[in-house]
Amino acid sequence: MKQDNTNERKLYTVIIFSENTVGLLNQITIIFTRRQLNIETLSVSPSAIAGIHKFTITTFADRVMIEKVVKQIDKRVDILKAYYNTDEDLVYQEIALYKLSTEAFLKMKDVEEFIRRYNARVLDINETCLVLEKNGHYEETQALFRELSERIGVLQFIRSGRIAITKHKVERLSDMLAEMQKKTERKS
């Protein structure tokens, strides 16, 4: 018999589709705050569908709580549709930037091998500092941060929010919009 893990807290990715409406982000974050859920990462951008924006939010919750949050978000007038996903449903990445002392970095014995091992890229370099870029999952960007911190020190560090797409052939919103279009055509 399969055990139901509805009370198990794990990382969920909430994807929300809406028009670009002023104040909507505030309304969405209030829903998380009222349920005492911390937003781990947040990214907003235009989606593949013209005129539609896509919010990608990660948070730790149990399944019952995330279902309630998504239903509450979905009820907002300005929201076209909201979904929650687990990591298995998505292809996702983050980007991290690391500012380092040029002198300290170049003193490392294995600079070229180090960059290849982490699949990092030098974005900018001058006589005082350089900036590395690393794309990957949280664990990968964090591993590079730890090693750089231990070996030479990191002057500045920033990581983006998660960006994600589902493993479905098309955006789930596309399916919903196509179904709405069919219903409208049947009524005509």
Side-chain angles (χ1 to χ4, degrees):
M1 185 166 139
K2 188 175 178 182
Q3 186 178 1
D4 185 11
N5 295 328
T6 57
N7 292 328
E8 180 185 334
R9 286 179 58 85
K10 63 189 221 179
L11 186 68
Y12 285 95
T13 302
V14 177
I15 297 177
I16 304 164
F17 295 96
S18 74
E19 293 179 2
N20 192 9
T21 306
V22 174
L24 184 59
L25 179 58
N26 184 49
Q27 294 171 30
I28 291 169
T29 57
I30 286 171
I31 293 169
F32 285 86
T33 304
R34 285 188 182 146
R35 299 215 180 253
Q36 298 184 7
L37 292 175
N38 188 44
I39 293 175
E40 297 294 322
T41 66
L42 169 67
S43 176
V44 182
S45 70
S47 73
I49 304 166
I52 306 297
H53 276 63
K54 182 177 183 177
F55 294 72
T56 306
I57 301 171
T58 60
T59 189
F60 284 97
D62 59 49
R63 196 179 80 214
V64 171
M65 179 64 75
I66 203 68
E67 286 174 353
K68 288 178 182 177
V69 166
V70 169
K71 282 181 185 174
Q72 191 172 358
I73 292 169
D74 231 1
K75 289 179 185 177
R76 306 281 324 155
V77 173
D78 299 334
I79 301 296
L80 298 171
K81 193 66 185 156
Y83 302 97
Y84 69 90
N85 302 276
T86 60
D87 288 354
E88 297 79 28
D89 303 326
L90 302 170
V91 176
Y92 60 94
Q93 291 286 287
E94 294 181 359
I95 183 173
L97 300 178
Y98 312 79
K99 183 186 262 185
L100 312 164
S101 161
T102 302
E103 181 182 353
F105 187 74
L106 294 177
K107 283 183 181 177
M108 288 175 39
K109 293 182 173 129
D110 56 348
V111 171
E112 191 174 330
E113 186 274 328
F114 181 84
I115 289 174
R116 283 190 184 131
R117 181 167 32 112
Y118 280 102
N119 197 23
R121 226 169 54 117
V122 176
L123 288 184
D124 187 48
I125 187 166
N126 61 44
E127 51 283 338
T128 59
C129 60
L130 70 89
V131 177
L132 286 181
E133 172 192 54
K134 166 74 179 137
N135 296 311
H137 293 174
Y138 172 84
E139 298 79 16
E140 297 166 324
T141 59
Q142 196 62 29
L144 177 56
F145 175 75
R146 278 193 303 274
E147 186 165 347
L148 286 168
S149 295
E150 291 168 6
R151 290 180 71 176
I152 62 170
V154 176
L155 302 174
Q156 290 182 35
F157 172 71
I158 187 74
R159 180 182 12 259
S160 71
R162 174 180 281 193
I163 55 170
I165 56 175
T166 63
K167 292 181 179 178
H168 298 88
K169 184 177 178 182
V170 295
E171 284 285 17
R172 290 165 74 183
L173 182 65
S174 298
D175 292 339
M176 186 195 89
L177 293 173
E179 189 61 36
M180 288 172 61
Q181 180 68 29
K182 284 180 190 176
K183 287 179 183 177
T184 303
E185 289 170 1
R186 280 187 220 139
K187 290 179 181 178
S188 300

